[in-house]
Amino acid sequence: MGHQMPPLPWLRAFEASARHLSFTNAASELNLTQAAISKQVKLLEHYLREPLFERLPRSLILTKAGAAYLPKVNDAFERLSAGTIEVFGGRRKGILTVRAPVGWAVNWIAERLPAFMDGYPQIPVRIVSSVWSEEAETERYDLDIRYGTGKWPGIRADRVSWERIEPLCTPEIAKRLASPEDLKGERLLHVLGYQEGWATWLAAAGVASINAGSGAHFDSSLMAFEVAAHGGGVALGRTSMSTTELRSGRLVQPFSLSVPVEEAFYILTPEEGLAHPDAAVFRDWLLSEAHAAAGR
């Protein structure tokens, strides 16, 4: 048997109106028009075949039926809220979980995260590293950082990097690279999942004699950088992640050519649905750090 109950939007309109004793204030709270709230309450009254409010020129008064119905509606909302928190809400009241690609987490977030933890000691944070954005879809997280073009259906995407690609290698290998054409004698190191890679950089350098797909392929920038640091070839770094490697001195840029690319890292939040109460704080902090790092 189906539940004999009115639509939830009508009940929500009634509850807010009863609490404020004002359609106007209820509309402001629910981000609707006053006319929409009034219509929903009228629909509820028609459904119940009983007036719930006495409408005065500048206010509302609950009728006896309305006053008797309000505690029942409040109780139903409280039970629904408690059930939602019980099943889904524990993680949102507690630790803030952020998923990020492992390379970006290590090379970009790690050095900045202590500042966030010092500035917001009341917000416990958990970073979940992933290689592929589709990986561990059953993992619950509040914010997601992905690499791409910024277009994901039903998701708000805020850009947090402005990338340029550049070859990276050990100082020893760099000594034998006088021009981009000299890469023909080196092993190219690729990172899977990027649309713009060695083919993009070699085209910008005007080099057509090198097979842009040759060499070794890895599923993360971290692995490519490590192999390059051990003299295994020439990696292609992205600005936001290569800075840490360049500062360490393990890798250097053998050429001055740095090529801008369209893809970037984005921080994603659902356009609808529940959100951790501290998710906006972390997102705004990350955006501020990203713009500062990019000089924007």
Side-chain angles (χ1 to χ4, degrees), residues 156-175:
R156 169 182 171 176
D158 293 295
R159 190 168 185 162
V160 292
S161 77
W162 289 261
E163 305 292 347
R164 303 178 73 89
I165 53 177
E166 55 221 2
L168 302 176
C169 62
T170 61
E172 291 72 25
I173 290 179
K175 292 176 182 178

Side-chain angles (χ1 to χ4, degrees), residues 99 130-137 141 144-146 152:
R99 186 176 74 164
S130 64
V131 174
W132 304 106
S133 60
E134 295 81 8
E135 156 181 300
E137 286 298 335
Y141 51 87
D144 189 16
I145 297 170
R146 294 188 193 178
W152 291 275

Side-chain angles (χ1 to χ4, degrees), residues 30-112:
L30 299 179
N31 197 29
L32 295 170
T33 64
Q34 188 270 348
I37 293 293
S38 178
K39 181 178 180 180
Q40 289 179 358
V41 171
K42 285 182 179 179
L43 288 170
L44 177 61
E45 291 175 325
H46 179 75
Y47 178 91
L48 299 172
R49 300 182 181 180
E50 190 79 38
L52 300 173
F53 293 103
E54 182 181 346
R55 292 156 173 80
L56 302 179
R58 296 190 178 183
S59 65
L60 300 172
I61 296 177
L62 283 164
T63 63
K64 288 184 178 181
Y69 192 42
L70 181 59
K72 307 297 184 183
V73 173
N74 282 335
D75 181 65
F77 281 143
E78 287 174 3
R79 287 174 179 270
L80 181 59
S81 176
T84 301
I85 292 173
E86 180 181 348
V87 177
F88 303 105
R91 68 187 177 94
R92 300 187 180 278
K93 291 176 64 179
I95 195 166
L96 173 69
T97 301
V98 181
R99 186 176 74 164
V102 61
W104 208 71
V106 170
N107 285 313
W108 199 93
I109 294 179
E111 67 175 278
R112 294 170 173 83

Side-chain angles (χ1 to χ4, degrees), residues 239-257:
T239 313
S240 64
M241 292 190 291
S242 59
T243 302
T244 302
E245 298 295 332
L246 292 170
R247 282 203 303 258
S248 72
R250 300 196 311 160
L251 299 175
V252 298
Q253 292 176 251
F255 312 112
S256 60
L257 178 62

